[in-house]
Structures are given as structure tokens and as C-alpha cells.
Amino acid sequence: MCARRVVSFALDHAKYAQNNDDGGNASSLAPRTGTITVLSDQSDGKSASTAGTQKLLTPTSLVCTRRASAHLLENDRAQKAYRTNAAVCVPITHFPGEKYVAGIQSGGIREFANLRAAPVVVATCDDPIRSEYSYSQTTNKSKGFYRLTPFGWLSLQPNQVRTIANAIKPDVLALPIDDVPPAAGKRRRETAVSRTHAWLTETLDDGELQGDVALLAGLTGGTDEVVRARAAKLTMEAVRASSACSRVVGVTVGGLAHGYPADTTKAMLAASLEAVPESMVRYAPGLGAPDDVLRAVASGVDLFDGAYPLTCASDGYALTFPLTAQAARDATHEVDASASAGVDVGSDASKMNLRAVAYRTDARPLVVGCTCEACSRPYTRAYIHHLLNVHELLGEMLLEVHNAHHYSLFFEEMRRTVDDNSFDDFANAHFAYRSAHA
Amino acid sequence: MDAAPRRGNNNKRRRREEDSFEEFVSDEEGGGGGSGDDDDGSSLVSSARARVLSSPPLSTLLASSISPALVFELSSREKRARRATMTTHHFACQLPMFMPVGTQGSVKGLTALDLENARVQLILGNTYHLEQRPGSALIETMGGLHNFVSWKQAMLTDSGGFQMVSLSDLLEVSEHAVTFQDPATGNTTTLTPEHCMQVQNRIGADIMMALDDVVSSTANDPKRYEEATYRTTRWLKRCIAAHKRTDRQSLFGIVQGGLDLALRRKSCEELVPLNLPGYAVGGLSGGEDKANFWRCVDASLELLPENKPRYVMGVGYPVDIVVCVALGADMFDCVYPTRTARFGTAMVSSGLLKLRSRSFANDMRPIEAGCDCATCKRYTRAYLHTIVTREPVASSLVSVHNVRYMMRLMEQIREAIENNRFEAFVQQFMRKQFPRVRANDDYAVPYEKMEEDGRAPVWVREALAKAGIALKS
Ligand SMILES: [Zn+2]
Ligand SMILES: [Zn+2]
């Protein structure tokens, strides 16, 4: 009936050499670029927009949505802001049951919510914006999992996930993960691993999933590296053993959203990714701030959840951090000038607090030279400050537009520097800039 | 420079019933005075002025007027309905037109680009709100409201008087000023006509409204109406004297008189000799009976000059607009299209779609077939049904449609008048709004109750009859 969409992932450039000096298996922890390709054939001859090939370059971020709309932005406007290189994330918790997907017709969420321009649509079992509330909510009694949805707390069964996915028709489905609260003990970790494993094997084996939807297998285990490594090994064995093996194009590294120190996060990533083949996409929800993203990309992560630019916008912040190594170095030396001017505006080195009175009469765009829809009009800092002040929706909308654009440029620069082997220089310049401002 | 040839054209000018403002312009230009910065905007007005002065009038009915910052040119009429161009400092507005309201410097949920794409010509700002936050002094520092909100086309500000009555605790209205208290801060503010002009001059909109003594249209207090009517005239004279930027901004007077037709006429008689660039009919659309509403509009418009723009304030329901255009009005404003969008209601030619309703859950049509708005091109009623009143983006999506719906309605009205088929348009419009039988798949509800026999409301038929338009039964 509707077009088949087949998802594949290919590595474009992986940097092995630099990370090999500690011997061992560090190669999977190197920055890399890749391409997710979605091939669609047009079997119903209906809409030309779904035919052809769509490509998504990694590393990149997802676009967070609410009921399949990009938060405050119309979906085409959001795609433009993300420069059409962001996968769209549709949490199935926003359509938590059959009655919520009843209106979605054969074209799936892509047609229904005008996600036609999105290179890739990913359905997730967690809402990146609400994830902090839902991580520990797994019921012990049933096989399902509790999630905070727009309709309140609901228990979802794995087979419901498949029903919803069949209606939404995403390109990729990230399977549920039983996450481990930071304070959990050994037994809780083991339960999480076996439960996540059961959800995977059930999905692979019961054949309920229709179409060509690709899968991301979930990796869990909390902060315990041994448990994480074993979970990953078990998961990969299950994938290889399954007849639906080719559906699994990647993994979701779970449990990173709890604000662990950088070293802990790095160790958790390493433990989970060691057993994962390089040909698989790696999605690491819960990491979003530029520092975290740079470290995770250095560890070989390909996809991020995209909540960061949105939560910054809703807190009244515009992203302003330097987007190239050179800009970071220049800005590092500028620090003293602005500090001695005594301007304390509640901003930090990576973002600008538009609620601060200091911007009341500031006639500059958010970032001078930015080509986003907000900055190029230009809308001024003073106007956006006013809009936030009087609680006009447009203020947050404009911040979302700018932040999406800025964030996507950040990912583009990471891809560029990985490709020409200067990623370390970019990251170092960024961290030097950050510490100069700390 | 071009004052000399213009002076040689006295005959033509007199035929056009031009007002003394024109003399004032010529004198000023002849003397080399006026504002120094003749940018793109002011050349809009001067080229319109040159156009009016150089072309012979088509007929005595197609009047025009020139004032320092506004040129009004009537281009066609059908019965009392008028098609005109009103050129201001920033934009040549095609009339009749609808003006969306950007209360606090933004039309809720829409970017300036969204408004341009909907082909909005003029945005209205509320002086009362803007003066509270961010303040007219700051707006002036930022180069005026146009610059501040990044809107290049026309703008209009109200006087703030209406909001003071409706949003604040009114303490006192005296001959000198209105005194009111902000319920949020407890601050007492005194607003005089002079202060009102100062604030609107700082904001810098193309059109400003005089401070009027507003009495609720449901007050039912004849003595208060009478006092307010005469005070409005006295305040208008003070506004004219206090208006400092006549080269860039045009001041409109507001006809008052409550629901008393004699007072309305008296108000017009007092205001017309003051020779303003345009006039508004105020004090209506505050919940008064529609029979009173249209008669007041009618009485006022009959006496307002033919060659000036006429603005009926606060009118936004499509049926009301069509009736007012038939009676000879040119400009309208209302928060209705964007406010109702936030509650999930879309405007269509057969009434209103309450998108929350279950009937839309599987409705894969756009809001309105044939609508060229960004929302109708991309989204179905079924999807909007899942997000209206739940996701903030839905209010933007439905607002885009509703604003464009209003613009399309006005485009259709203008085209009909131009082609001398406005009467047929009105008949067709009313038939769609008040259908005898509704199609099975038409889930729209009417704006207001139809008559028992399925005809348009009595007041609509009476008003249109007065305008010379009969609705076929
Ligand atoms: Zn920007
Ligand atoms: Zn539309």
C-alpha cells in the first residue's frame, strides 16, 4: 500500500589511529562519521514526497517532538532550522495505545503530521524531554513499563509498543530499555538486563512488527561496567541468533541521563559499546550539552536526543557557544574584556540568558552573523527579552529556531572535523574556551 | 519644488474635495521645511500624492484626500461599498482590510514571516499594553515599534482608552484626564490626551487613534453617553494640538455617541470639520444588541466624509465585516481570529470548525478545501484534532489559517467591489454562512443563531436592505 522504506547505516570515516595507544579494544571508542540511508520505493504511486533516497549524516541530533510536532515549531519550519539533517524523534508515549493512533492512516506519522521532509523518523519508548521522570518506573509485576505520557502515568506492554509502531510506521524503532536508577543495587541491575533482553527477543521473534522498520536494541546495566558489558554481549548474541537480525541497525545506550561525571559516562559508554559492531548506529539519549556531546562523539556515539536546545529555549536561553576551533580560540582571549566590563547577565560561556535585563535595549541579533530565521530577520535580543517578559509564545519560538540552527551547525562542524582528522583540535579549543569562562 | 505646478492645478484640487492638510503640505514643502529623512517610506506617500494630483478624477464619486502622512484614493464603489487604497508612510494598504491585533508587540504565535505569508497589510498594537511593557520610551530608543518588532508594513496603535476601561479599575474621568489603577501593580496612572499623543508618537505607528471618553456600549446611561460624546470632541482637539509627528503619523478621530443615533450624528457633525486623515466608529462591539450595532454604524458612516478612510473598531466576525463593508466601512480589527484559534476553532466559509470535536478524528481534509494557507497545505483536520488545545504549536497552526482566512475574505470583498459584483458576493457569502440545509460532511457550526426558517438573522437582512442589498429568500 504505502511506500517501503528500508534503513541502512554505513560508516564514512572512523578515526582509529589516535585512540589505539592504550592498546586493547579502544577502536570502538573513536569519533566517526556515517550516513543513515533510507531507501523508499513508491509502491502506491501516491505521493512523490516519499519516493527516493533520504540521507542523514551522523553524528547528529534528533528533533524532539510533542505528539509528532516539533515542540513550538511547525515541522517544516523545524526541519529548516535543523537544516534538514536531524532525525525526528516520536516518543510512542505520546500515542500510548490503540485509540490514540486510530486517526493515523496508511501513510503513518510521516504523512499524518507532515514529517515528509524528515530524513529519518525514529520512534522511541522514552520521551527525551520527560525522561528524567520515567527512568525508574518499571513495574515489577507485569512485563510492561510505566512512562509519564501527556495523558498521565501509563503502563505500556511490549506488544502495545509494536501495535503503536505499526500505526506510526517509523523508519526506526528504539526498543524499550529498563533503566537503572543511580542508587539501585545489584539485583535491580540484573533485573533490568534480563527484562530489556526479554523485550528485545520477544520483538525479534514474534513477527508482530510490520513493514521494514529498523530496530535499535537497548543496552542497560546502570553504572556497573561488568554488568553493562555482559548485557551488551548478550544483546548482540540474541541479535545474531535471530532470523530478524538484519532489522537491528543499531543500539540505544541507556542509563546516561542521570548527570553522571564525565569519567563515569565514558566508562559506561565503553562498557556498552565494546561488544557492538562498528557497523551499528549508536544512539545515546540523555547527553546534550555541548561538552557532553563532544565527549560522547569522541567515544563513538552517532545520535543524540535533541532535548538540549529545546530545554534551553524554554528556560529563556539562546545557544551562543563558538562553532569552530578558531572562533573558540578567539573567544577564549576575549573573555577578559567582557569580564572586566562587569556585565553579569546570568549567561554562561555557552548560552545567553535572554531574561536578563542587560538585553533590554540590545539591538543585536542573538548571534551576530547567524543565518537562522530569527537572527536573519533580524529579531533583536531586546525584542526577544520583551517577548519572554510578557510571556508571548513567540519569544520561545524564536529561541527554538535559533537554538536548533546553532545546534545543527555544531554537529556539522563535528562531522567536518572528524572527516579531516581535526576533531581533537576542535574539542580541545572548545574545552579551553569553556574553562577560561568557568 | 513641485509646489508650483500643483498650485496651478487649483480647479482639479477643488473637485477632489481636498482638505486644508494639502495646503499645509505644499506650504511646508515650498518653504523647504518638513522632515529631513525622506526614506523609502515617505516616498510612498509622496508618490501617491503625486499620482492623485496628476490624474484626473474618474468621477465625482471617486473621491480622494491627501494629508501629510496619508493618501486615500477611492478606486471603485458599488452601492455603499468602497474599494480604496490608503497609502501610509510604510505601506500602501488595499481597502477594505482586516487588521490582526498584536497586543504586546506580537500577533500571538505568529512570526512576521507568517504574517507576510498570510498577506497581512497592517498590524495593530495596543498602546496600553505597550506602554506598560516595554514602555514607549524604550520603543522609541529602539527606533519605533516597526523596528522593535521587525515589521516593515503598516501599523496602527489604539489610544489605550478602551483597555483602561476594560482592564483597569477606573478611578475617575474628568475633563482633564482619565485616572485609573493598574490592578496588578496598584499604580495609579493619569492619562491626558496630550500624554496619549506623546506615547503614540514615540511608538511611531502609521495611524494613531485619538483618546476618546469610552463608555461601555451596554451602559444604558443617556446622560453619561452625552457627556462622553462632547468630551471626546474636546479631547480630539487637544490630541490634534499635541500630535508632534504629522509628517509620519496620521491621527484618526473616533465617533462616539453610545447607542443613541442622534448623538452619533452629532458626534460626526462635530468631528468632520476637524478634517482628520481618517475616522473611526468607536464604542461598539462590546456586546450590544446587533440591531443597535448596525444602526449606529450606519448612522455614523452616512455622515463621515466620502474621501476619508472609515474604520469600525473591534469588529472581526466575518458576517459583521461583510455587513459593515456594505454600509461603507473600510477597516476592521479584532483579536477573534487568533484568540479562537487558541481554543481550537478554525474559521471556514460555512462557519466555525471546533476541531476538538470527535467528528474530526478521522477527517483527512484540510481545514478548508482551496485555502492557500501554510496549514491547509500541510495538515489535516484529523491531525489538528489530536493537538488543538493540547500542544502550543496547534494555536500557531490554526492562527495561520484563521488570519489567512480573514485576508482571503477581504481579498474576495475587494475583488467583488472592483468588478461590480459585491451584491452577488454578499448573497453567496450569507447563503454559505446560513445554509438552509447543511451537507452531511459539513461539520461547521454558524457564528450566530440563524432564524428558525433557516434564513440569515433579521439584523443582517435589515442592515443589508439599508445598504441596498437584498438577500434572496
Ligand atoms: Zn540565530
Ligand atoms: Zn487554511
Side-chain angles (χ1 to χ4, degrees):
Chain A
M1 329 283 165
C2 73
R4 286 186 61 197
R5 293 177 62 87
V6 182
V7 180
S8 62
F9 175 71
L11 272 188
D12 295 331
H13 187 98
K15 202 178 78 167
Y16 306 106
Q18 280 92 333
N19 276 26
N20 266 341
D21 48 7
D22 58 350
N25 243 335
S27 63
S28 62
L29 287 185
R32 58 207 221 138
T33 57
T35 306
I36 299 177
T37 305
V38 182
L39 279 172
S40 53
D41 67 19
Q42 200 180 352
S43 49
D44 64 346
K46 195 175 111 209
S47 98
S49 59
T50 57
T53 306
Q54 280 171 296
K55 284 180 186 296
L56 180 75
L57 304 178
T58 63
T60 193
S61 94
L62 305 188
V63 184
C64 282
T65 61
R66 289 164 55 140
R67 288 186 177 90
S69 266
H71 214 244
L72 299 184
L73 306 181
E74 191 279 318
N75 279 328
D76 282 347
R77 172 171 270 154
Q79 279 298 322
K80 188 168 172 251
Y82 280 99
R83 303 161 70 257
T84 23
N85 195 77
V88 169
C89 166
V90 179
I92 63 157
T93 54
H94 295 186
F95 300 89
E98 283 178 32
K99 71 171 177 169
Y100 301 97
V101 294
I104 303 175
Q105 315 253 321
S106 63
I109 204 76
R110 212 171 246 288
E111 292 285 325
F112 189 59
N114 185 36
L115 294 169
R116 297 169 182 95
V120 179
V121 174
V122 182
T124 60
C125 295
D126 285 293
D127 179 347
I129 295 179
R130 289 189 167 95
S131 61
E132 61 215 285
Y133 306 111
S134 53
Y135 67 84
S136 62
Q137 299 294 322
T138 302
T139 158
N140 281 322
K141 296 204 176 84
S142 79
K143 288 163 63 188
F145 50 96
Y146 274 113
R147 287 294 187 271
L148 181 58
T149 76
F151 310 91
W153 287 97
L154 289 176
S155 169
L156 283 165
Q157 302 300 316
N159 63 335
Q160 271 181 298
V161 172
R162 297 190 281 277
T163 308
I164 299 164
N166 285 342
I168 290 179
K169 297 187 171 60
D171 302 313
V172 179
L173 170 65
L175 292 171
I177 293 176
D178 186 13
D179 193 6
V180 181
K186 189 165 169 49
R187 265 186 58 175
R188 178 69 186 82
R189 286 185 217 124
E190 298 292 352
T191 312
V193 171
S194 56
R195 196 178 273 148
T196 306
H197 186 76
W199 288 336
L200 168 72
T201 49
E202 201 181 309
T203 306
L204 288 176
D205 298 340
D206 72 2
E208 277 176 33
L209 215 48
Q210 299 163 2
D212 296 292
V213 59
L215 300 175
L216 300 183
L219 303 178
T220 185
T223 50
D224 188 324
E225 290 166 47
V226 178
V227 176
R228 286 191 84 89
R230 202 177 61 242
K233 209 165 277 170
L234 209 64
T235 304
M236 289 306 126
E237 277 162 16
V239 169
R240 275 191 293 272
S242 163
S243 58
C245 162
S246 63
R247 267 190 196 275
V248 182
V249 296
V251 293
T252 306
V253 185
L256 302 172
H258 309 300
Y260 295 120
D263 288 347
T264 310
T265 303
K266 188 177 178 182
M268 288 164 78
L269 275 170
S272 286
L273 293 177
E274 197 181 314
V276 176
E278 272 157 15
S279 58
M280 282 196 169
V281 186
R282 299 134 174 212
Y283 171 40
L287 304 173
D291 299 13
D292 295 338
V293 169
L294 280 166
R295 291 190 194 102
V297 165
S299 294
V301 171
D302 305 307
L303 288 175
F304 296 83
D305 66 25
Y308 181 76
L310 285 190
T311 50
C312 285
S314 64
D315 292 342
Y317 287 98
L319 300 184
T320 55
F321 57 87
L323 289 170
T324 62
Q326 190 54 50
R329 278 190 282 269
D330 293 349
T332 304
H333 300 305
E334 276 167 20
V335 169
D336 297 329
S338 70
S340 63
V343 189
D344 178 17
V345 292
S347 306
D348 67 21
S350 61
K351 54 194 194 297
M352 175 187 288
N353 175 14
L354 267 299
R355 293 193 203 279
V357 207
Y359 300 111
R360 226 170 71 90
T361 58
D362 194 331
R364 286 171 291 179
L366 295 170
V367 167
V368 178
C370 176
T371 59
C372 81
E373 189 188 339
C375 295
S376 64
R377 178 139 189 116
Y379 287 111
T380 63
R381 298 172 188 180
Y383 181 50
I384 293 170
H385 168 77
H386 162 70
L387 291 171
L388 296 178
N389 212 16
V390 296
H391 309 290
E392 282 283 344
L393 193 66
L394 183 59
E396 195 182 327
M397 280 172 69
L398 295 175
L399 288 177
E400 280 191 9
V401 165
H402 168 81
N403 286 356
H405 181 86
H406 199 85
Y407 206 53
S408 73
L409 287 175
F410 173 56
F411 278 96
E412 183 171 296
E413 183 64 4
M414 284 189 285
R415 292 193 299 271
R416 196 189 66 77
T417 53
V418 170
D419 285 342
D420 70 10
N421 293 318
S422 63
F423 177 81
D424 288 349
D425 181 47
F426 177 45
N428 291 339
H430 177 89
F431 287 114
Y433 164 79
R434 293 281 283 149
S435 57
H437 278 260
Chain B
M1 326 146 131
D2 53 350
R6 210 184 291 169
R7 285 191 190 290
N9 246 342
N10 267 339
N11 265 346
K12 200 184 279 176
R13 260 199 289 156
R14 211 165 289 127
R15 278 216 314 276
R16 280 203 192 84
E17 309 165 60
E18 272 162 23
D19 51 54
S20 59
F21 268 121
E22 208 270 316
E23 297 295 339
F24 167 76
V25 177
S26 319
D27 290 350
E28 199 179 60
E29 284 188 355
S35 63
D37 49 338
D38 209 330
D39 60 16
D40 289 358
S42 66
S43 71
L44 264 185
V45 175
S46 42
S47 61
R49 186 188 300 140
R51 182 171 65 237
V52 170
L53 291 173
S54 64
S55 63
L58 297 168
S59 81
T60 49
L61 283 177
L62 294 179
S64 57
S65 68
I66 294 176
S67 49
L70 187 147
V71 173
F72 179 83
E73 302 160 81
L74 214 48
S75 56
S76 51
R77 325 182 16 148
E78 182 181 336
K79 302 206 162 80
R80 285 169 68 175
R82 305 132 55 85
R83 169 79 182 89
T85 303
M86 177 181 76
T87 307
T88 69
H89 185 69
H90 287 91
F91 200 67
C93 305
Q94 303 306 314
L95 310 186
M97 72 168 164
F98 176 81
M99 313 177 285
V101 181
T103 301
Q104 317 205 72
S106 111
V107 178
K108 291 197 185 304
L110 302 183
T111 67
L113 183 65
D114 294 332
L115 294 163
E116 285 167 5
N117 288 341
R119 272 163 277 163
V120 168
Q121 309 185 67
L122 183 152
I123 300 174
L124 189 147
N126 287 124
T127 297
Y128 172 84
H129 292 97
L130 291 169
E131 179 61 352
Q132 290 209 315
R133 285 180 301 185
S136 58
L138 183 135
I139 293 174
E140 189 179 33
T141 315
M142 301 304 295
L145 188 60
H146 279 89
N147 257 341
F148 186 58
V149 308
S150 198
W151 176 252
K152 294 173 186 68
Q153 297 169 198
M155 297 192 101
L156 179 152
T157 43
D158 64 3
S159 68
F162 179 75
Q163 273 78 16
M164 255 159 266
V165 178
S166 57
L167 299 180
S168 303
D169 299 329
L170 189 65
L171 298 181
E172 193 198 358
V173 186
S174 72
E175 188 55 29
H176 175 63
V178 200
T179 308
F180 58 93
Q181 192 170 34
D182 182 338
T185 62
N187 292 340
T188 303
T189 309
T190 300
L191 186 72
T192 63
E194 290 76 16
H195 183 225
C196 176
M197 288 299 102
Q198 187 191 26
V199 169
Q200 291 192 69
N201 276 158
R202 284 181 189 149
I203 294 173
D206 301 67
I207 296 170
M208 351 192 277
M209 303 306 296
L211 183 66
D212 50 351
D213 185 358
V214 182
V215 187
S216 160
S217 58
T218 53
N220 200 15
D221 180 351
K223 279 199 72 174
R224 179 70 184 93
Y225 280 134
E226 189 172 351
E227 181 192 43
T229 304
Y230 290 106
R231 185 173 285 147
T232 293
T233 311
R234 292 192 294 274
W235 282 3
L236 176 56
K237 289 175 180 166
R238 284 165 63 187
C239 284
I240 294 171
H243 175 21
K244 290 287 191 297
R245 295 184 71 215
T246 49
D247 60 324
R248 290 294 176 94
Q249 298 178 267
S250 302
L251 174 66
F252 280 26
I254 305 175
V255 175
Q256 284 293 350
L259 302 177
D260 181 334
L261 299 185
L263 264 183
R264 285 269 162 196
R265 294 191 183 103
K266 186 71 198 155
S267 180
C268 289
E269 278 164 27
E270 297 212 336
L271 262 51
V272 171
L274 296 176
N275 220 347
L276 291 154
Y279 291 93
V281 180
L284 295 174
S285 59
E288 71 282 346
D289 194 90
K290 290 287 188 184
N292 289 325
F293 163 76
W294 82 259
R295 286 189 172 84
C296 288
V297 172
D298 173 55
S300 311
L301 294 185
E302 274 185 329
L303 293 178
L304 288 175
E306 189 59 37
N307 64 339
K308 303 283 174 72
R310 303 143 163 198
Y311 162 28
V312 182
M313 302 175 81
V315 166
Y317 294 132
V319 172
D320 300 10
I321 288 180
V322 170
V323 169
C324 288
V325 168
L327 292 168
D330 309 307
M331 297 159 65
F332 308 92
D333 79 284
C334 194
V335 294
Y336 181 75
T338 44
R339 174 174 292 164
T340 204
R342 294 200 292 283
F343 296 107
T345 302
M347 304 166 78
V348 295
S349 60
S350 58
L352 301 170
L353 303 184
K354 312 226 175 206
L355 291 164
R356 277 303 300 270
S357 158
R358 288 291 308 159
S359 7
F360 299 109
N362 292 298
D363 191 339
M364 302 311 280
R365 292 173 291 176
I367 293 174
E368 179 149 51
C371 177
D372 59 358
C373 85
T375 301
C376 287
K377 280 188 218 157
R378 294 169 168 84
Y379 296 94
T380 60
R381 296 171 177 187
Y383 180 63
L384 294 169
H385 167 78
T386 66
I387 60 170
V388 284
T389 71
R390 295 185 175 124
E391 299 302 342
V393 74
S395 64
S396 300
L397 292 177
V398 182
S399 289
V400 162
H401 169 81
N402 283 358
V403 169
R404 181 63 195 138
Y405 170 83
M406 294 306 296
M407 296 303 127
R408 282 196 298 122
L409 173 66
M410 302 317 287
E411 284 164 13
Q412 288 159 12
I413 288 174
R414 291 198 293 268
E415 205 208 327
I417 301 172
E418 273 165 27
N419 296 308
N420 214 34
R421 43 174 195 76
F422 180 66
E423 182 169 21
F425 169 83
V426 175
Q427 288 163 349
Q428 196 191 13
F429 173 86
M430 293 300 173
R431 213 164 29 241
K432 277 190 194 156
Q433 289 286 336
F434 306 105
R436 186 73 43 92
V437 189
R438 218 168 254 285
N440 275 342
D441 62 349
D442 182 357
Y443 307 132
V445 293
Y447 286 87
E448 59 184 284
K449 260 185 82 176
M450 295 153 60
E451 299 302 320
E452 304 266 311
D453 60 359
R455 292 204 290 168
V458 173
W459 77 270
V460 173
R461 283 179 281 152
E462 284 177 349
L464 291 174
K466 183 75 195 298
I469 294 173
L471 288 188
K472 291 167 190 157
S473 54

